[in-house]
């Protein structure tokens, strides 16, 4: 299982929630050391940074200070044969007609190929091989 962490500043005053998310996934890194990512919501715009490597290798002070906003989700992942490649690093964000959406999950959709094919028939375009992107596509509909 991956390490997943979320933080939200209910008062909307703190702009460095990325640091809280960083420390959250740093403490969960024993759950996965292949890659890490953080998505921050800055008034409806998502700022995302993610890459392969340990949490301390992916993020530095400059990167974290650029991720400003009032809520964040973060993910650190171990190896997964189903979901691989740099495009599969989470969180995943999309722009849809209902707004921007970001998601990270550690789920397995049992009929993922069938659902993905049905969504493609409806015009969905996928950038990754992750179940999280299927969930995002369903949310946006």
């Amino acid at each position: 299982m991956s390490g997943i962490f979320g933080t939200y500043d209910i008062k909307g005053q703190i702009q460095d929630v990325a640091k809280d998310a960083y420390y959250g996934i740093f403490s969960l890194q024993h759950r996965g050391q292949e890659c890490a990512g953080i998505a921050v919501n800055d008034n409806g715009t998502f700022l995302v940074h993610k890459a392969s490597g340990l949490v301390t290798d992916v993020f530095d002070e400059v990167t974290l200070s650029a991720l400003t906003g009032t809520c964040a989700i973060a993910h650190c992942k171990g190896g997964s044969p189903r979901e691989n490649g740099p495009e599969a690093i989470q969180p995943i964000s999309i722009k849809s007609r209902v707004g921007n959406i970001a998601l990270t999950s550690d789920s397995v959709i049992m009929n993922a190929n069938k659902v993905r094919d049905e969504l493609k028939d409806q015009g969905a375009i996928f950038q990754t091989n992750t179940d999280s992107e299927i969930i995002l596509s369903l949310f946006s509909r």
Side-chain angles (χ1 to χ4, degrees):
M1 293 188 67
S2 301
I4 297 173
F5 189 86
T7 182
Y8 176 64
D9 175 24
I10 198 161
K11 294 181 182 178
Q13 298 172 343
I14 301 172
Q15 290 294 310
D16 61 354
V17 293
K19 289 182 184 177
D20 292 337
Y22 169 85
Y23 289 118
I25 58 171
F26 178 79
S27 66
L28 294 171
Q29 188 167 250
H30 65 282
R31 308 216 49 163
Q33 299 181 353
E34 179 182 298
C35 57
I38 296 175
V40 176
N41 184 339
D42 184 20
N43 293 319
T45 300
F46 288 98
L47 307 171
V48 180
H49 182 78
K50 55 189 180 176
S52 295
L54 298 172
V55 174
T56 54
D57 295 333
V58 173
F59 297 98
D60 58 22
E61 193 62 39
V62 174
T63 304
L64 289 172
S65 65
L67 296 173
T68 59
T70 56
C71 62
I73 56 175
H75 188 256
C76 59
K77 180 181 124 172
S80 170
R82 276 190 66 220
E83 300 179 347
N84 52 31
E87 69 279 350
I89 300 172
Q90 297 188 48
I92 296 175
S93 63
I94 64 167
K95 294 179 182 180
S96 75
R97 60 185 168 174
V98 296
N100 298 329
I101 308 170
L103 175 81
T104 187
S105 73
D106 195 26
S107 62
V108 175
I109 300 174
M110 299 307 290
N111 62 341
N113 291 335
K114 179 182 178 202
V115 174
R116 184 184 302 272
D117 289 342
E118 289 173 3
L119 289 167
K120 285 180 181 178
D121 289 343
Q122 296 172 22
I125 298 170
F126 291 95
Q127 304 297 317
T128 74
N129 59 355
T130 65
D131 289 354
S132 295
E133 192 175 20
I134 294 172
I135 295 168
L136 282 173
S137 186
L138 291 168
F139 280 168
S140 71
R141 287 172 165 42

